[in-house]
Amino acid sequence: MTAHASPSSIRFYFRGQTVDVSGVQTTRTLLDWLRENRRQTGTKEGCNEGDCGACTVVLGELDAQGELQLRSVNACIQFLPTLDGKALFTVEDLAALAPPGKNGTPALHPAQQAMVECHGSQCGFCTPGIVMTLWGSYEQHLHDGTRPTRQQLADDLSGNLCRCTGYRPILDAGQRMFDLPEARLDRHAVIEALQSLQRSRALDYTAESLMPQGARTDHFHAPRTLGELAELRMAQPKARLLAGSTDIGLWVNKQLRDVGDLIYVGNVAEMQRVEERDGALWIGAGAPLEDAWRALVQRAPSLMDVWLRFASLPIRHAGTMGGNVANGSPIGDSAPILMALDASVELRRGSAVRTLALPDLYLDYMKNALQEGEFVQAITVPLAAFERQVRGYKISKRFDCDISAISAGMAIELAGDTVRSVRLAYGGMAGIVKRAAQAEAALLGRAWTQEAVHAAQQALTQDYAPMTDLRASSGYRLQVAQNLLQRLWLETRAVAPLASHATNVFSVLPHAAAV
């Protein structure tokens, strides 16, 4: 524990009051606490890995301006100590927000009433999670003074699986709820409650864990500044860094791994920032994926498809781009895009900060260049990289919420019809995400023609020897990687380039509005 830390219980705002929790394990999930400790079983357990959305709840916290920000998350992979200083809303809370019922009948919130009226539920198991997603959308759009499009509702619901109802009536309900009598959350009351919960010192929560070798005290550290984090990381280099818990939560739930002491970066305000600094886009390693992707897409709108298909909205609310990059998964979708944009990582060890080009971070499968006590502080993308034509492609078995078989980030700059610069990076093609050096060399300085594309496609066989697994065969991966080069050419060729939707197979499917 650092000198700035404060041993304490976990405090958060729930059901209109401050809840003070102690005595639960550091890896106790919010879902288990709700169902087993509080006996509030409206929040369901489905997959227990953040895929199905049956456990969806909404968390509220104060942003940098002191305003309330509501975000849906998967309760099954959120460790309870991460709720410290936040507000929690579950499906049981909606009755208190509903308008008065008629003739003594129980009142339903518009999100619930619309699901009833539009026949949006059959077996009902997925319904509480869907209702909470709709409620989060409802509150956000009421606050903004807007109404979501049908496609926006479909994007919001990408993390909610319904196997029996079908999404047409659920989307109908998402539109219908705005026509019903209004039921707003008292944001001012929540903001006041959250202000009273803010700590002046870092949280150091401890709990006893029963291990095969006996009892052990586990620590959950939550530093508040970069300096505190760096000091703590140097003092405890073996502790596990925790951000959104979208990976580590599965290690605990599915692999039953002992993760030991945890250092939580979610309270370090500096690492939440996404801003322009010194000619670069600076993405704090603790910034949620949703915020990081939004910043990239604002500067490169062609990346919209990859943004919306990166996991689901609750995962993007919880997970961080810094965590995705530091984890180093060969099928992570962030790294190929960032490599195409010449991204670097800021690495901090104590007070020392060094910058490393992103490709140099990865040494081998799940091995990186981080030194003991060092951590990823931020990701930087030169603004000049956005002047190139940038594309991101994701190939997976499902359109939404699926792991990539292949992902690609590509950027090309033409001088007339000649390739002045080119970046080609692939995930799912090797033990690490890496650039296709031979294919790039086959294109650089050449006319951007079909013949040049063929040469680069052949060069890909020298860059990669992909493996065969359950997601795709080696031959399929290589062929698709070559095909994506063809797609890049079709979309960026000097003469009659095709719009990206014209080369996207999903564009020929019925639009969500027609489902």
Side-chain angles (χ1 to χ4, degrees):
M1 182 175 65
T2 70
H4 310 289
S6 172
S8 184
S9 56
I10 306 160
R11 296 180 300 156
F12 54 95
Y13 182 71
F14 179 51
R15 307 304 301 272
Q17 60 185 0
T18 297
V19 175
D20 200 300
V21 180
S22 59
V24 300
Q25 287 183 294
T26 56
T27 54
R28 182 69 164 170
T29 66
L30 172 55
L31 176 64
D32 286 345
W33 180 81
L34 282 170
R35 294 182 62 83
E36 298 175 6
N37 293 76
R38 293 289 296 222
R39 297 292 189 262
Q40 295 188 265
T41 55
T43 308
K44 305 300 183 186
E45 178 180 324
C47 66
N48 207 28
E49 58 186 46
D51 272 348
C52 72
C55 68
T56 302
V57 298
V58 174
L59 298 183
E61 54 187 315
L62 301 178
D63 63 17
Q65 289 72 44
E67 295 295 323
L68 178 64
Q69 187 173 59
L70 298 175
R71 294 197 167 187
S72 57
V73 299
N74 301 113
C76 69
I77 54 175
Q78 288 296 306
F79 297 151
L80 196 65
T82 65
L83 266 70
D84 188 72
K86 300 177 183 177
L88 168 64
F89 301 95
T90 71
V91 71
E92 285 94 347
D93 291 299
L94 300 192
L97 303 176
K102 295 180 180 179
N103 303 321
T105 59
L108 293 177
H109 187 275
Q112 297 168 309
Q113 184 63 40
M115 286 285 284
V116 173
E117 294 182 8
C118 298
H119 307 286
S121 177
Q122 288 188 44
C123 84
F125 191 85
C126 65
T127 303
I130 288 172
V131 165
M132 289 310 296
T133 294
L134 292 178
W135 179 73
S137 181
Y138 179 83
E139 279 293 331
Q140 185 61 53
H141 285 280
L142 281 185
H143 184 65
D144 295 342
T146 61
R147 288 185 63 148
T149 65
R150 201 170 177 90
Q151 185 59 52
Q152 286 174 324
L153 288 166
D155 293 336
D156 288 348
L157 289 161
S158 63
N160 291 94
L161 177 64
C162 181
R163 291 190 179 275
C164 55
T165 301
Y167 287 88
R168 181 196 54 76
I170 296 172
L171 294 172
D172 289 344
Q175 294 182 306
R176 170 64 178 157
M177 64 183 177
F178 290 94
D179 297 326
L180 298 173
E182 193 175 281
R184 286 178 182 260
L185 175 69
D186 185 347
R187 286 175 171 257
H188 181 70
V190 178
I191 289 173
E192 283 191 338
L194 291 179
Q195 289 172 339
S196 71
L197 288 173
Q198 301 312 299
R199 297 179 182 273
S200 59
R201 295 192 295 172
L203 169 69
D204 180 58
Y205 174 76
T206 61
E208 294 293 323
S209 294
L210 292 177
M211 308 301 295
Q213 61 271 30
R216 185 188 69 194
T217 299
D218 285 333
H219 290 258
F220 181 96
H221 304 282
R224 297 181 58 83
T225 69
L226 262 174
E228 290 175 358
L229 172 59
E231 177 187 346
L232 190 60
R233 186 62 170 159
M234 285 291 288
Q236 300 189 36
K238 302 301 183 184
R240 184 78 61 182
L241 287 182
L242 175 71
S245 194
T246 54
D247 266 332
I248 295 178
L250 272 68
W251 297 355
V252 173
N253 284 354
K254 296 298 182 180
Q255 300 176 16
L256 305 181
R257 287 172 60 176
D258 173 19
V259 295
D261 290 343
L262 295 170
I263 300 176
Y264 178 56
V265 304
N267 290 346
V268 180
E270 297 105 307
M271 291 179 67
Q272 306 276 333
R273 296 174 186 160
V274 180
E275 58 194 19
E276 292 186 6
R277 295 184 184 181
D278 302 323
L281 176 64
W282 193 91
I283 302 171
L289 280 158
E290 185 72 356
D291 296 349
W293 278 107
R294 180 180 292 107
L296 292 175
V297 170
Q298 284 173 346
R299 294 161 178 81
S302 57
L303 298 177
M304 174 70 78
D305 186 71
V306 179
W307 173 21
L308 295 180
R309 295 183 60 201
F310 190 108
S312 65
L313 189 59
I315 294 296
R316 297 198 304 271
H317 280 162
T320 64
M321 186 167 283
N324 191 244
V325 165
N327 181 51
S329 169
I331 52 174
D333 288 338
S334 295
I337 304 298
L338 293 170
M339 285 187 190
L341 292 171
D342 286 336
S344 298
V345 286
E346 286 185 2
L347 305 180
R348 180 160 179 163
R349 186 175 186 270
S351 60
V353 177
R354 64 181 176 125
T355 300
L356 196 65
L358 181 56
D360 296 336
L361 178 65
Y362 306 123
L363 304 179
D364 202 347
Y365 177 71
M366 303 306 285
K367 292 183 180 179
N368 58 46
L370 288 171
Q371 301 171 5
E372 187 173 87
E374 195 171 42
F375 62 93
V376 177
Q377 173 178 280
I379 301 162
T380 60
V381 179
L383 297 179
F386 295 106
E387 297 174 5
R388 304 187 185 111
Q389 298 191 70
V390 182
R391 294 294 186 275
Y393 304 126
K394 177 183 174 83
I395 306 300
S396 56
K397 294 183 183 300
R398 296 193 308 267
F399 182 77
D400 279 322
C401 199
D402 198 9
I403 296 173
S404 295
I406 303 171
S407 57
M410 301 181 178
I412 189 166
E413 180 185 10
L414 301 178
D417 65 350
T418 301
V419 178
R420 175 180 290 174
S421 68
V422 61
R423 306 287 187 272
L424 307 173
Y426 286 91
M429 295 287 287
I432 57 174
V433 177
K434 67 174 188 175
R435 283 173 53 180
Q438 297 297 322
E440 290 177 4
L443 293 174
L444 190 61
R446 293 189 58 179
W448 187 221
T449 63
Q450 184 70 75
E451 290 72 24
V453 172
H454 287 161
Q457 288 174 323
Q458 292 305 308
L460 281 178
T461 63
Q462 303 172 50
D463 285 311
Y464 303 105
M467 66 180 291
T468 294
D469 59 18
L470 291 175
R471 294 188 187 93
S473 68
S474 174
Y476 174 83
R477 283 190 162 103
L478 185 57
Q479 181 177 344
V480 170
Q482 293 171 327
N483 290 348
L484 291 178
L485 273 175
Q486 177 73 10
R487 179 175 172 182
L488 175 69
W489 177 71
L490 289 171
E491 294 177 5
T492 62
R493 60 190 180 185
V495 179
L498 298 178
S500 58
H501 67 80
T503 60
N504 188 334
V505 65
F506 295 104
S507 66
V508 303
L509 299 177
H511 191 269
V515 173

